[in-house]
Amino acid sequence: MVALPVIIGLDALQSRYQVVSLVQETCGLAAGYKVGLPSLLRIPGIGREVRKACDEALVIADLKLADIADTMVRVAEITSGWADAVIAHAFPGYEGALDGLSRFLEENRQKLVVVVAMSNPGASETMDPILEKLVGIAKRARAWGLVAPATRPHVIARARNLFTEAVILSPGVGAQGARPGEAVRAGADYEIIGRLITTSRDPAATLQSLAPSYKGRHV
Amino acid sequence: MVALPVIIGLDALQSRYQVVSLVQETCGLAAGYKVGLPSLLRIPGIGREVRKACDEALVIADLKLADIADTMVRVAEITSGWADAVIAHAFPGYEGALDGLSRFLEENRQKLVVVVAMSNPGASETMDPILEKLVGIAKRARAWGLVAPATRPHVIARARNLFTEAVILSPGVGAQGARPGEAVRAGADYEIIGRLITTSRDPAATLQSLAPSYKGRHV
C-alpha cells in the first residue's frame, strides 16, 4: 500500500452518499478513516458502509469513550462489526474503565487507541499537567495507539518518549491550525485530517497534494 | 408531579420495545430518563421515542461528550430534537470545548450537565485530585447540573460546596454498589439508577419500593 500516513475524519460530512463517495474516491490514498459520533448518530449503519467501501483501510470508531467499563464495552460490542480500532479517553482511569474495555477489544482482536491530550486550548489546563499519568493508564491498558494533538507538537514528543511502542495519531491538522506534516515530524505515526479533505471539491487531489508534506513517507 | 428523585438509565435494555415499555410503565414515577450511547447506537431514533413515551419527564442525552467544541456541537444538534439536557465531561476544559457546547445549548434552551467525578475506582486517581478545577470549568460553562458518583458520597458533598446552585445527578446506585437514597442524603438532587430497575420483572413496583429510601422526597 502506498497510502499517506493520513487518517481522514469523516464527521463534517452530512449524508450517507457524501461519506461513501469520499471513502471510495480516497481509498488507497489514505491510511484510514475515522468515523465519529456525529456520523454514527446521523447516519445509522455508516460504520459498516465505510468498512465495505475500502476494505484495506484502518477504520477507527471515534466515540471518545469516557465512561465506566460496562458502558464502554456495550458500545464496543456495537462497533465490533466494522471497527479495527476504538478510541477511548485515558481520563476515566484503568480500574473499572479501560481495564474492561481493553480486555473486550483484545478478545475481539480490535485495537485500543487512548486519548492522552487534546488539541483545544482548554485541555492544556486539565490534561497536559497529568500527561504522564494518562500515558501510564494507556500503557497499563496495553493500548495500541495514543491520540495527541498536532497543535502542540511538544506534547507528541513527550508522549512518544513516555510510550515508545505506541502508535501516535494526531488530530488538529488543517481547520484547527496545525500544518500537514508537522505532527509526523514531531513523532506521530498518523495525522488525522478532517475538513481540509472532506470539504474539498476534489478530496483525492487534495490528499495527493499533501504528499510533499510527508516527504514521500508512506504506510 | 409526585415522581421520586430518580432518573432511570436505559442502556442495559436491548430493544426498542423494551425501552418504550419501560418508559411507559414508569412514566410519572421517575423524574426522568437517561439515554446513553449504547441505546442511541443500537436503536436508531430511540431518543425521540423516549421523549414521546413520557412527555413530562426530564430526558437526558448521556453521550459523556469529551471532544472539541465543534464535534460536541454537531452531536448536540442531532439530539436537540428530543433531549432536555446533554451530559459532557469537564476534563476537555472550557476553551475550545465546553465554551462552544454551552453556547449552543443555551441558544437551544437545553441544559448542560457536566461530569466532574465518576463512580469507578480508576477515576478517583485522575479526576478526584482536580475536582475543584473540574467544577470550576463546569461553573464557567454555566452548567445546570453536575454528575458526581453515589459510590463516593464525600465527592458529592465537595461538589455541592463548590457549586451550590448546581443540580447534582448521581450514578452508581444499585449494580455499582451505592444504596438508593445515599447520594441524595449526601447532597445530590437526583440518583441515576439503571439495571436495578431495568432488569426488574416489574420496574414500576421496584421503583415504588424505593420510595422509603428517599423518605417521601419527591420532585
Side-chain angles (χ1 to χ4, degrees):
Chain A
M1 195 159 97
V2 290
L4 292 176
V6 169
I7 290 168
I8 303 180
L10 300 170
D11 283 328
L13 296 171
Q14 297 289 324
S15 74
R16 191 178 305 272
Y17 174 78
Q18 284 181 313
V19 172
V20 174
S21 305
L22 185 129
V23 173
Q24 287 171 339
E25 283 168 34
T26 55
C27 182
L29 301 173
Y33 300 92
K34 188 173 76 71
V35 188
L37 204 42
S39 310
L40 291 168
L41 292 178
R42 198 188 293 122
I43 315 169
I46 195 65
R48 279 176 199 278
E49 295 199 48
V50 169
R51 166 83 290 152
K52 232 168 52 187
C54 187
D55 196 51
E56 71 210 70
L58 179 76
V59 179
I60 305 175
D62 180 19
L63 297 152
K64 301 255 183 359
L65 296 173
D67 215 319
I68 56 170
D70 194 66
T71 305
M72 295 198 291
V73 167
R74 276 197 205 124
V75 173
E77 281 168 358
I78 300 168
T79 62
S80 65
W82 55 269
D84 299 305
V86 170
I87 300 183
H89 272 284
F91 220 98
Y94 182 75
E95 272 184 88
L98 287 183
D99 53 357
L101 180 64
S102 169
R103 213 174 304 122
F104 174 85
L105 294 175
E106 280 172 358
E107 285 165 7
N108 281 274
R109 297 169 189 278
Q110 286 177 285
K111 296 169 165 69
L112 172 63
V113 176
V114 175
V115 181
V116 294
M118 289 177 64
S119 56
N120 64 301
S124 63
E125 289 169 36
T126 48
M127 298 175 74
D128 289 5
I130 57 166
L131 181 68
E132 262 180 69
K133 196 187 267 188
L134 297 176
V135 174
I137 290 165
K139 260 188 169 168
R140 202 174 159 196
R142 303 170 300 281
W144 170 78
L146 301 178
V147 174
T151 46
R152 293 204 300 286
H154 66 281
V155 176
I156 298 175
R158 278 182 65 202
R160 165 60 61 228
N161 283 335
L162 291 166
F163 192 176
T164 43
E165 318 87 281
V167 165
I168 297 183
L169 298 86
S170 285
V173 180
Q176 287 177 68
R179 272 175 308 213
E182 276 184 342
V184 164
R185 279 194 296 280
D189 297 280
Y190 296 103
E191 295 188 359
I192 299 170
I193 311 186
R195 288 163 274 181
L196 182 69
I197 295 169
T198 58
T199 61
S200 160
R201 289 189 56 182
D202 188 345
T206 301
L207 194 52
Q208 282 166 321
S209 76
L210 300 179
S213 308
Y214 301 101
K215 294 190 179 149
R217 195 172 146 156
H218 294 101
V219 289
Chain B
M1 197 158 95
V2 290
L4 292 176
V6 169
I7 290 167
I8 303 179
L10 301 170
D11 283 328
L13 297 170
Q14 296 289 323
S15 74
R16 190 178 305 273
Y17 174 79
Q18 284 180 313
V19 172
V20 174
S21 305
L22 185 129
V23 174
Q24 287 172 337
E25 284 167 33
T26 55
C27 183
L29 302 172
Y33 300 93
K34 190 174 75 70
V35 187
L37 205 41
S39 310
L40 291 168
L41 291 177
R42 197 190 291 122
I43 316 169
I46 195 65
R48 279 176 199 278
E49 296 200 48
V50 169
R51 166 83 293 152
K52 232 169 49 186
C54 186
D55 196 52
E56 70 211 69
L58 178 76
V59 179
I60 305 177
D62 180 18
L63 298 151
K64 300 255 180 1
L65 296 174
D67 215 319
I68 55 169
D70 194 64
T71 305
M72 295 199 290
V73 167
R74 275 196 206 123
V75 174
E77 281 168 358
I78 300 168
T79 61
S80 66
W82 55 269
D84 300 304
V86 170
I87 300 183
H89 272 286
F91 70 75
Y94 182 74
E95 273 182 87
L98 286 184
D99 54 356
L101 179 63
S102 169
R103 213 174 304 123
F104 174 85
L105 293 176
E106 281 172 355
E107 284 163 10
N108 282 272
R109 297 171 188 276
Q110 286 177 287
K111 295 168 164 70
L112 172 63
V113 177
V114 175
V115 182
V116 295
M118 289 176 64
S119 56
N120 65 300
S124 63
E125 289 169 36
T126 48
M127 298 175 74
D128 290 4
I130 57 166
L131 181 68
E132 260 180 71
K133 196 187 268 188
L134 297 175
V135 174
I137 290 165
K139 259 187 172 170
R140 202 172 159 198
R142 302 170 300 281
W144 169 78
L146 301 178
V147 175
T151 47
R152 291 204 302 285
H154 65 281
V155 176
I156 297 175
R158 277 183 67 203
R160 164 61 62 229
N161 283 335
L162 290 165
F163 191 176
T164 43
E165 317 87 281
V167 165
I168 297 183
L169 298 86
S170 284
V173 179
Q176 286 177 68
R179 273 176 306 211
E182 277 184 342
V184 163
R185 279 194 296 279
D189 298 280
Y190 297 103
E191 295 189 0
I192 299 169
I193 311 185
R195 288 164 275 181
L196 182 69
I197 295 169
T198 59
T199 62
S200 160
R201 289 187 57 182
D202 187 344
T206 301
L207 193 52
Q208 282 167 321
S209 76
L210 300 179
S213 308
Y214 300 103
K215 293 190 178 148
R217 194 172 146 157
H218 294 100
V219 289

